[in-house]
Amino acid sequence: MTDEAAAGSGAGAVDGVLAALADPTRRRLLDLLAAQGEVSATTLAEALPVTRQAVVKHLAVLDAAGLVGGRRVGREVRYEVRPAALDATARWMVALAADWDRRLAGIKRLAEAAEAAEAAEGDARE
Amino acid sequence: MTDEAAAGSGAGAVDGVLAALADPTRRRLLDLLAAQGEVSATTLAEALPVTRQAVVKHLAVLDAAGLVGGRRVGREVRYEVRPAALDATARWMVALAADWDRRLAGIKRLAEAAEAAEAAEGDARE
DNA sequence: GATCAGTGCAACTCCAGGGTTGCACACCAC
DNA sequence: GTGGTGTGCAACCCTGGAGTTGCACTGATC
Protein backbone atom coordinates (compact mmCIF):
# COMPACT_ATOMS: atom_id res chain seq x y z
CA MET A 1 0.00 0.00 0.00
CA THR A 2 2.79 2.33 0.83
CA ASP A 3 4.36 1.21 -2.41
CA GLU A 4 1.22 2.01 -4.31
CA ALA A 5 1.02 5.44 -2.81
CA ALA A 6 4.62 6.13 -3.73
CA ALA A 7 4.58 4.56 -7.18
CA GLY A 8 1.68 6.63 -8.42
CA SER A 9 0.74 4.74 -11.55
CA GLY A 10 0.35 1.17 -10.34
CA ALA A 11 -2.49 1.76 -7.93
CA GLY A 12 -5.21 -0.77 -8.64
CA ALA A 13 -8.39 0.69 -7.18
CA VAL A 14 -7.35 4.28 -7.70
CA ASP A 15 -7.48 4.37 -11.47
CA GLY A 16 -11.03 3.02 -11.40
CA VAL A 17 -12.04 5.84 -9.07
CA LEU A 18 -10.24 8.45 -11.16
CA ALA A 19 -11.84 7.20 -14.36
CA ALA A 20 -15.24 7.20 -12.66
CA LEU A 21 -14.80 10.72 -11.31
CA ALA A 22 -13.64 12.06 -14.66
CA ASP A 23 -17.21 12.15 -16.00
CA PRO A 24 -19.34 15.18 -15.00
CA THR A 25 -22.59 13.21 -15.14
CA ARG A 26 -21.18 10.67 -12.73
CA ARG A 27 -20.03 13.40 -10.35
CA ARG A 28 -23.52 14.88 -10.51
CA LEU A 29 -24.89 11.45 -9.78
CA LEU A 30 -22.64 11.04 -6.75
CA ASP A 31 -23.72 14.47 -5.60
CA LEU A 32 -27.37 13.49 -5.76
CA LEU A 33 -26.67 10.22 -3.99
CA ALA A 34 -24.72 11.95 -1.24
CA ALA A 35 -27.56 14.44 -0.79
CA GLN A 36 -30.50 12.05 -0.85
CA GLY A 37 -29.14 8.88 0.67
CA GLU A 38 -30.65 5.72 -0.75
CA VAL A 39 -32.20 6.33 -4.16
CA SER A 40 -33.21 4.15 -7.08
CA ALA A 41 -31.88 4.56 -10.61
CA THR A 42 -35.29 5.67 -11.85
CA THR A 43 -35.52 8.42 -9.24
CA LEU A 44 -32.01 9.60 -10.09
CA ALA A 45 -32.82 9.67 -13.79
CA GLU A 46 -35.73 12.04 -13.13
CA ALA A 47 -33.30 14.60 -11.71
CA LEU A 48 -30.90 14.35 -14.63
CA PRO A 49 -31.14 15.20 -18.34
CA VAL A 50 -30.43 11.59 -19.34
CA THR A 51 -32.29 8.32 -19.59
CA ARG A 52 -32.60 5.77 -16.83
CA GLN A 53 -30.42 3.43 -18.86
CA ALA A 54 -27.62 5.97 -18.96
CA VAL A 55 -27.91 6.35 -15.19
CA VAL A 56 -27.80 2.58 -14.78
CA LYS A 57 -24.62 2.40 -16.84
CA HIS A 58 -23.03 5.15 -14.77
CA LEU A 59 -24.06 3.44 -11.57
CA ALA A 60 -22.43 0.25 -12.85
CA VAL A 61 -19.17 2.13 -13.42
CA LEU A 62 -19.39 3.76 -10.00
CA ASP A 63 -20.17 0.41 -8.45
CA ALA A 64 -17.16 -1.19 -10.13
CA ALA A 65 -15.02 1.64 -8.77
CA GLY A 66 -16.43 1.00 -5.29
CA LEU A 67 -17.88 4.49 -5.03
CA VAL A 68 -21.48 3.35 -4.65
CA GLY A 69 -23.31 0.25 -3.59
CA GLY A 70 -26.85 -0.95 -4.19
CA ARG A 71 -29.25 -3.26 -2.40
CA ARG A 72 -32.58 -4.59 -3.55
CA VAL A 73 -35.70 -3.40 -1.77
CA GLY A 74 -38.58 -5.26 -3.28
CA ARG A 75 -38.55 -4.60 -7.00
CA GLU A 76 -36.30 -1.60 -6.88
CA VAL A 77 -32.59 -1.17 -6.19
CA ARG A 78 -31.54 1.56 -3.80
CA TYR A 79 -28.08 2.96 -4.34
CA GLU A 80 -26.00 4.79 -1.82
CA VAL A 81 -22.61 6.37 -1.63
CA ARG A 82 -19.58 4.42 -0.33
CA PRO A 83 -16.94 6.75 1.05
CA ALA A 84 -14.19 4.12 1.44
CA ALA A 85 -12.88 4.12 -2.15
CA LEU A 86 -13.03 7.91 -2.37
CA ASP A 87 -11.23 8.19 0.90
CA ALA A 88 -8.49 5.82 -0.26
CA THR A 89 -8.06 7.75 -3.52
CA ALA A 90 -7.94 11.03 -1.64
CA ARG A 91 -5.19 9.68 0.58
CA TRP A 92 -3.33 8.35 -2.46
CA MET A 93 -3.52 11.77 -4.06
CA VAL A 94 -2.31 13.54 -0.95
CA ALA A 95 0.63 11.12 -0.78
CA LEU A 96 1.37 11.68 -4.45
CA ALA A 97 1.37 15.44 -4.02
CA ALA A 98 3.75 15.09 -1.09
CA ASP A 99 5.90 12.81 -3.20
CA TRP A 100 6.10 15.41 -5.95
CA ASP A 101 7.10 18.04 -3.46
CA ARG A 102 9.84 15.80 -2.06
CA ARG A 103 11.19 14.92 -5.49
CA LEU A 104 11.10 18.50 -6.68
CA ALA A 105 12.96 19.63 -3.59
CA GLY A 106 15.50 16.84 -4.04
CA ILE A 107 16.08 17.59 -7.71
CA LYS A 108 16.40 21.26 -7.01
CA ARG A 109 18.92 20.56 -4.27
CA LEU A 110 20.95 18.31 -6.58
CA ALA A 111 20.92 20.90 -9.32
CA GLU A 112 22.14 23.58 -6.98
CA ALA A 113 24.86 21.28 -5.64
CA ALA A 114 25.95 20.46 -9.18
CA GLU A 115 26.05 24.13 -10.07
CA ALA A 116 28.09 24.87 -7.00
CA ALA A 117 30.51 22.03 -7.77
CA GLU A 118 30.83 23.19 -11.37
CA ALA A 119 31.55 26.72 -10.28
CA ALA A 120 34.13 25.54 -7.76
CA GLU A 121 35.98 23.00 -9.91
CA GLY A 122 35.57 24.62 -13.28
CA ASP A 123 35.56 22.09 -16.16
CA ALA A 124 38.40 19.94 -14.76
CA ARG A 125 35.98 17.05 -14.27
CA GLU A 126 36.06 15.50 -17.74
CA MET B 1 -13.86 27.68 -2.17
CA THR B 2 -15.55 26.10 0.79
CA ASP B 3 -18.66 25.98 -1.36
CA GLU B 4 -16.79 24.24 -4.11
CA ALA B 5 -15.42 21.70 -1.73
CA ALA B 6 -18.87 21.01 -0.38
CA ALA B 7 -20.76 21.10 -3.67
CA GLY B 8 -18.54 18.61 -5.41
CA SER B 9 -19.64 19.03 -9.00
CA GLY B 10 -19.10 22.71 -9.64
CA ALA B 11 -15.37 22.83 -9.00
CA GLY B 12 -13.67 24.60 -11.88
CA ALA B 13 -10.06 23.50 -11.75
CA VAL B 14 -10.78 20.14 -10.20
CA ASP B 15 -12.58 18.55 -13.13
CA GLY B 16 -9.66 19.42 -15.39
CA VAL B 17 -7.30 17.64 -13.04
CA LEU B 18 -9.60 14.65 -12.72
CA ALA B 19 -10.01 14.36 -16.48
CA ALA B 20 -6.25 14.64 -16.90
CA LEU B 21 -5.53 12.00 -14.27
CA ALA B 22 -8.09 9.61 -15.75
CA ASP B 23 -5.72 8.60 -18.54
CA PRO B 24 -3.08 5.96 -17.70
CA THR B 25 -0.57 7.34 -20.21
CA ARG B 26 -0.82 10.77 -18.63
CA ARG B 27 -0.31 9.33 -15.15
CA ARG B 28 2.75 7.51 -16.46
CA LEU B 29 3.93 10.78 -17.94
CA LEU B 30 3.51 12.56 -14.63
CA ASP B 31 5.39 9.76 -12.95
CA LEU B 32 8.31 10.19 -15.31
CA LEU B 33 8.27 13.93 -14.87
CA ALA B 34 8.20 13.64 -11.09
CA ALA B 35 11.11 11.23 -11.22
CA GLN B 36 13.33 13.05 -13.69
CA GLY B 37 12.63 16.69 -13.07
CA GLU B 38 12.83 18.85 -16.17
CA VAL B 39 12.48 16.81 -19.34
CA SER B 40 11.60 17.58 -22.95
CA ALA B 41 8.72 15.99 -24.82
CA THR B 42 11.12 14.13 -27.08
CA THR B 43 12.94 12.57 -24.13
CA LEU B 44 9.65 11.56 -22.55
CA ALA B 45 8.47 9.97 -25.76
CA GLU B 46 11.54 7.73 -25.81
CA ALA B 47 10.50 6.22 -22.48
CA LEU B 48 6.92 5.59 -23.60
CA PRO B 49 5.34 3.34 -26.24
CA VAL B 50 3.83 6.33 -28.06
CA THR B 51 4.92 9.02 -30.45
CA ARG B 52 6.31 12.38 -29.50
CA GLN B 53 3.16 13.98 -30.86
CA ALA B 54 0.99 11.93 -28.53
CA VAL B 55 3.21 13.02 -25.63
CA VAL B 56 2.89 16.64 -26.72
CA LYS B 57 -0.88 16.37 -26.75
CA HIS B 58 -0.91 14.82 -23.29
CA LEU B 59 1.44 17.51 -22.02
CA ALA B 60 -0.95 20.12 -23.39
CA VAL B 61 -3.81 18.54 -21.45
CA LEU B 62 -1.71 18.35 -18.30
CA ASP B 63 -0.63 21.93 -18.80
CA ALA B 64 -4.23 23.09 -19.19
CA ALA B 65 -5.04 21.27 -15.96
CA GLY B 66 -2.15 23.03 -14.25
CA LEU B 67 -0.39 19.78 -13.43
CA VAL B 68 2.74 20.56 -15.41
CA GLY B 69 4.52 23.61 -16.74
CA GLY B 70 7.09 24.07 -19.47
CA ARG B 71 9.77 26.60 -20.22
CA ARG B 72 11.91 26.99 -23.31
CA VAL B 73 15.60 26.23 -23.08
CA GLY B 74 17.12 27.04 -26.42
CA ARG B 75 15.32 25.01 -29.02
CA GLU B 76 13.72 22.56 -26.62
CA VAL B 77 10.96 22.82 -24.04
CA ARG B 78 11.57 21.38 -20.59
CA TYR B 79 8.49 20.30 -18.70
CA GLU B 80 8.21 19.82 -14.98
CA VAL B 81 5.57 18.84 -12.49
CA ARG B 82 3.45 21.46 -10.71
CA PRO B 83 2.16 20.17 -7.39
CA ALA B 84 -0.29 23.03 -6.73
CA ALA B 85 -3.24 21.79 -8.82
CA LEU B 86 -2.81 18.23 -7.59
CA ASP B 87 -2.67 19.45 -4.05
CA ALA B 88 -5.85 21.47 -4.48
CA THR B 89 -7.65 18.50 -6.01
CA ALA B 90 -6.45 16.23 -3.22
CA ARG B 91 -7.81 18.65 -0.66
CA TRP B 92 -11.09 18.88 -2.57
CA MET B 93 -11.37 15.11 -2.55
CA VAL B 94 -10.62 14.84 1.15
CA ALA B 95 -13.30 17.45 1.83
CA LEU B 96 -15.75 15.58 -0.39
CA ALA B 97 -15.09 12.31 1.40
CA ALA B 98 -15.65 14.02 4.73
CA ASP B 99 -18.85 15.52 3.32
CA TRP B 100 -20.10 12.09 2.30
CA ASP B 101 -19.40 10.77 5.76
CA ARG B 102 -21.27 13.64 7.36
CA ARG B 103 -24.27 13.26 5.06
CA LEU B 104 -24.39 9.51 5.50
CA ALA B 105 -24.25 9.87 9.25
CA GLY B 106 -27.00 12.49 9.14
CA ILE B 107 -29.25 10.43 6.90
CA LYS B 108 -28.73 7.35 9.02
CA ARG B 109 -29.59 9.31 12.10
CA LEU B 110 -32.77 10.65 10.49
CA ALA B 111 -33.77 7.19 9.35
CA GLU B 112 -33.31 5.78 12.82
CA ALA B 113 -35.26 8.65 14.34
CA ALA B 114 -38.07 8.10 11.85
CA GLU B 115 -38.12 4.40 12.64
CA ALA B 116 -38.24 5.11 16.33
CA ALA B 117 -41.08 7.59 15.86
CA GLU B 118 -42.97 5.10 13.72
CA ALA B 119 -42.53 2.38 16.27
CA ALA B 120 -43.71 4.69 19.04
CA GLU B 121 -46.74 6.15 17.28
CA GLY B 122 -47.83 3.09 15.38
CA ASP B 123 -49.79 3.91 12.18
CA ALA B 124 -51.78 6.73 13.72
CA ARG B 125 -50.05 9.18 11.36
CA GLU B 126 -52.27 8.74 8.31
C1' DG C 1 25.34 29.58 -45.35
C1' DA C 2 24.39 24.50 -44.87
C1' DT C 3 22.91 20.90 -41.95
C1' DC C 4 20.75 18.49 -38.35
C1' DA C 5 17.86 17.99 -34.17
C1' DG C 6 13.83 19.52 -31.83
C1' DT C 7 9.38 21.72 -31.98
C1' DG C 8 4.69 23.12 -33.82
C1' DC C 9 0.71 22.55 -36.68
C1' DA C 10 -2.77 20.04 -39.33
C1' DA C 11 -5.22 16.27 -41.25
C1' DC C 12 -6.44 11.68 -40.70
C1' DT C 13 -7.75 6.92 -38.56
C1' DC C 14 -9.85 4.39 -35.06
C1' DC C 15 -12.16 2.89 -31.04
C1' DA C 16 -13.91 3.34 -26.26
C1' DG C 17 -17.75 4.87 -24.03
C1' DG C 18 -21.78 7.99 -23.23
C1' DG C 19 -26.42 7.96 -24.71
C1' DT C 20 -30.46 6.12 -26.84
C1' DT C 21 -34.41 2.87 -28.02
C1' DG C 22 -36.87 -1.46 -27.62
C1' DC C 23 -38.26 -5.32 -25.38
C1' DA C 24 -38.39 -9.11 -21.90
C1' DC C 25 -38.67 -10.09 -17.07
C1' DA C 26 -39.85 -9.42 -11.97
C1' DC C 27 -42.55 -7.60 -8.55
C1' DC C 28 -46.34 -5.17 -5.98
C1' DA C 29 -51.30 -3.77 -5.80
C1' DC C 30 -55.97 -4.45 -7.07
C1' DG D 1 -55.14 -13.35 -12.48
C1' DT D 2 -54.28 -8.65 -14.49
C1' DG D 3 -52.33 -4.12 -14.94
C1' DG D 4 -48.89 -0.98 -13.86
C1' DT D 5 -44.27 0.12 -12.33
C1' DG D 6 -39.43 -0.73 -12.02
C1' DT D 7 -35.31 -3.42 -13.57
C1' DG D 8 -32.19 -5.90 -16.74
C1' DC D 9 -30.34 -6.91 -21.20
C1' DA D 10 -29.02 -6.12 -26.01
C1' DA D 11 -28.39 -3.77 -30.13
C1' DC D 12 -27.55 0.40 -32.02
C1' DC D 13 -25.69 5.69 -33.18
C1' DC D 14 -22.29 9.00 -32.63
C1' DT D 15 -19.12 12.07 -30.65
C1' DG D 16 -14.61 12.77 -28.35
C1' DG D 17 -10.13 11.85 -27.74
C1' DA D 18 -5.89 8.93 -28.13
C1' DG D 19 -2.63 8.03 -31.52
C1' DT D 20 -0.50 8.39 -35.99
C1' DT D 21 1.85 10.46 -40.13
C1' DG D 22 3.64 14.26 -42.78
C1' DC D 23 5.49 18.59 -43.29
C1' DA D 24 6.96 23.35 -42.18
C1' DC D 25 9.57 26.03 -38.96
C1' DT D 26 13.17 27.39 -35.69
C1' DG D 27 17.31 27.23 -33.32
C1' DA D 28 22.08 25.18 -32.52
C1' DT D 29 26.47 23.64 -34.61
C1' DC D 30 29.90 23.37 -38.11
Side-chain angles (χ1 to χ4, degrees):
Chain A
M1 284 211 186
T2 310
D3 261 9
E4 277 187 14
S9 62
V14 168
D15 72 323
V17 173
L18 288 175
L21 289 179
D23 187 80
T25 305
R26 277 195 289 265
R27 285 201 301 272
R28 187 92 187 73
L29 216 45
L30 289 173
D31 228 26
L32 287 172
L33 278 175
Q36 306 186 9
E38 281 194 322
V39 202
S40 73
T42 306
T43 308
L44 287 169
E46 288 170 1
L48 288 175
V50 295
T51 339
R52 174 184 62 93
Q53 293 302 328
V55 172
V56 169
K57 281 192 183 180
H58 284 307
L59 285 173
V61 174
L62 292 171
D63 188 29
L67 287 169
V68 306
R71 66 174 236 271
R72 289 205 81 102
V73 179
R75 69 181 155 186
E76 66 181 10
V77 181
R78 307 268 181 80
Y79 289 90
E80 76 174 350
V81 131
R82 293 273 164 85
L86 182 68
D87 204 56
T89 305
R91 269 200 291 265
W92 167 84
M93 200 174 283
V94 167
L96 183 62
D99 198 48
W100 285 15
D101 276 325
R102 273 205 318 276
R103 288 177 190 266
L104 275 187
I107 287 168
K108 209 142 285 179
R109 195 158 13 90
L110 282 180
E112 283 168 7
E115 270 182 21
E118 246 178 49
E121 301 187 11
D123 54 347
R125 203 181 178 185
E126 195 169 18
Chain B
M1 283 204 187
T2 309
D3 260 10
E4 276 188 13
S9 62
V14 167
D15 72 325
V17 174
L18 288 175
L21 288 180
D23 188 80
T25 305
R26 277 195 289 265
R27 285 202 301 272
R28 187 93 189 71
L29 216 44
L30 289 173
D31 229 26
L32 287 171
L33 279 175
Q36 307 186 7
E38 281 195 324
V39 202
S40 73
T42 305
T43 308
L44 287 169
E46 288 170 2
L48 287 176
V50 296
T51 343
R52 175 185 62 93
Q53 292 303 325
V55 172
V56 169
K57 281 192 184 181
H58 283 307
L59 285 173
V61 174
L62 292 171
D63 187 28
L67 288 169
V68 305
R71 65 175 237 271
R72 289 204 82 102
V73 179
R75 68 180 155 185
E76 65 181 11
V77 182
R78 307 270 181 80
Y79 289 90
E80 76 175 350
V81 130
R82 293 273 163 84
L86 183 68
D87 203 55
T89 304
R91 270 200 290 267
W92 168 84
M93 200 175 283
V94 167
L96 184 61
D99 198 48
W100 284 14
D101 276 325
R102 273 206 318 276
R103 288 177 190 265
L104 275 187
I107 287 168
K108 210 142 285 182
R109 194 156 16 87
L110 282 180
E112 282 167 9
E115 269 182 21
E118 246 178 47
E121 300 188 10
D123 55 350
R125 203 179 176 189
E126 197 171 23

